[in-house]
């Protein structure tokens, strides 16, 4: 509502510990919000939290600590998004204690299980702080930017699921235009005109103050 914009601090059940570099994914099929990974005061987290937005309110935020089966990723800077067709969350790369992860992890919402995703096609480099979003046109993920060991990633990858926790990776050939590579940017799908919006992030020499529009 115009002229009624405001912030609210949600309180209620015990929330996740404070952290940075964590992943937040919205499951719009069940109206749940997932928070996992990241770095706290004393190290990396491998925990997972869920808040039910159907039952929560500003004065009663219903956080649930989930104990998934499988190996939960203990990383910060993962690029994560929801595959609504198979009901799974993909988490790409991220920073472990002593190295960058080359693994794409997959979380099944229904069974509360973490597994390694099976990726075919082109190889994804080990990255942290890549930008990932689900694209509603080709029903797959777009992965942009991020930091590898020695440079920012200049490439764009399409990651299209071929099954449950399985996907094919294709490095996208850019026909025209360019955008400076960044890490830590926000990538958002715009289904109305079938574009992806890349906002902010850090380039080599400055913080980004531009919006890049990727047309498919």
């Amino acid at each position: 509502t115009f002229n009624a914009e405001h912030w609210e601090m949600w309180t209620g059940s015990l929330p996740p510990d404070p952290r940075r570099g964590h992943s937040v994914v919205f499951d719009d099929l069940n109206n749940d919000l997932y928070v996992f990974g990241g770095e706290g005061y004393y190290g990396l987290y491998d925990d997972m939290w869920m808040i039910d937005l159907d039952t929560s309110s500003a004065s009663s935020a219903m956080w649930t600590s989930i104990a998934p089966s499988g190996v939960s990723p203990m990383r910060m800077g993962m690029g994560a998004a929801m595959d609504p067709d198979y009901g799974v969350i993909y988490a790409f790369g991220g920073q472990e204690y002593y190295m960058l992860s080359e693994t794409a992890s997959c979380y099944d919402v229904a069974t509360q299980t973490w597994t390694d995703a099976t990726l075919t096609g082109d190889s994804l480099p080990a990255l942290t702080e890549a930008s990932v979003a689900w694209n509603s046109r080709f029903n797959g993920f777009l992965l942009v930017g991020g930091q590898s060991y020695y440079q920012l990633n200049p490439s764009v990858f399409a990651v299209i699921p071929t099954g449950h926790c399985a996907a094919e990776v294709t490095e996208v050939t850019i026909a025209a235009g360019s955008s400076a590579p960044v890490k830590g940017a926000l990538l958002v799908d715009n289904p109305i005109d079938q574009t992806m919006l890349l906002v902010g992030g850090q380039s080599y020499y400055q913080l980004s103050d531009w919006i890049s529009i990727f047309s498919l």
Side-chain angles (χ1 to χ4, degrees), residues 43-57:
L44 299 177
Y45 286 113
D46 62 354
D47 58 352
M48 190 166 202
W49 295 77
M50 186 269 288
I51 186 169
D52 185 343
L53 299 179
D54 284 326
T55 59
S56 294
S57 65

Side-chain angles (χ1 to χ4, degrees), residues 9-16 49-53 55-64:
M9 181 66 73
W10 280 33
T11 59
S13 62
L14 186 66
W49 295 77
M50 186 269 288
I51 186 169
D52 185 343
L53 299 179
T55 59
S56 294
S57 65
S59 60
S60 180
M62 303 300 293
W63 284 103
T64 300

Side-chain angles (χ1 to χ4, degrees), residues 150-198:
Y150 305 111
Q151 66 175 3
L152 297 177
N153 168 42
S155 300
V156 175
F157 295 93
V159 184
I160 302 178
T162 56
H164 183 272
C165 291
E168 182 174 5
V169 179
T170 302
E171 185 172 354
V172 179
T173 300
I174 307 300
S178 64
S179 179
V182 292
K183 65 176 182 178
L186 177 67
L187 185 66
V188 180
D189 178 39
N190 181 3
I192 296 177
D193 60 4
Q194 298 179 339
T195 60
M196 306 289 283
L197 307 179
L198 187 69

Side-chain angles (χ1 to χ4, degrees), residues 9-204:
M9 181 66 73
W10 280 33
T11 59
S13 62
L14 186 66
D17 291 334
R19 64 193 67 199
R20 72 184 183 99
H22 50 288
S23 299
V24 179
V25 175
F26 177 56
D27 175 7
D28 59 353
L29 299 177
N30 300 298
N31 208 27
D32 296 329
L33 193 73
Y34 289 88
V35 176
F36 55 95
E39 181 183 40
Y41 288 110
Y42 306 107
L44 299 177
Y45 286 113
D46 62 354
D47 58 352
M48 190 166 202
W49 295 77
M50 186 269 288
I51 186 169
D52 185 343
L53 299 179
D54 284 326
T55 59
S56 294
S57 65
S59 60
S60 180
M62 303 300 293
W63 284 103
T64 300
S65 177
I66 300 174
S69 58
V71 180
S72 300
M74 182 181 286
R75 313 173 206 151
M76 61 180 295
M78 292 178 282
M82 180 82 183
D83 172 1
D85 293 337
Y86 288 95
V88 295
I89 295 172
Y90 281 74
F92 299 95
Q95 173 71 58
E96 299 176 349
Y97 278 110
Y98 306 110
M99 63 185 297
L100 299 180
S101 175
E102 299 180 356
T103 302
S105 298
C106 180
Y107 177 76
D108 188 309
V109 170
T111 64
Q112 298 185 349
T113 303
W114 279 107
T115 58
D116 287 344
T118 301
L119 301 182
T120 57
D122 294 331
S123 297
L124 288 176
L127 293 170
T128 185
E129 296 186 76
S131 303
V132 178
W134 180 262
N135 181 274
S136 56
R137 178 181 179 184
F138 61 79
N139 289 333
F141 302 100
L142 203 69
L143 185 149
V144 180
Q147 171 76 56
S148 64
Y149 284 107
Y150 305 111
Q151 66 175 3
L152 297 177
N153 168 42
S155 300
V156 175
F157 295 93
V159 184
I160 302 178
T162 56
H164 183 272
C165 291
E168 182 174 5
V169 179
T170 302
E171 185 172 354
V172 179
T173 300
I174 307 300
S178 64
S179 179
V182 292
K183 65 176 182 178
L186 177 67
L187 185 66
V188 180
D189 178 39
N190 181 3
I192 296 177
D193 60 4
Q194 298 179 339
T195 60
M196 306 289 283
L197 307 179
L198 187 69
V199 184
Q202 180 180 339
S203 65
Y204 281 110

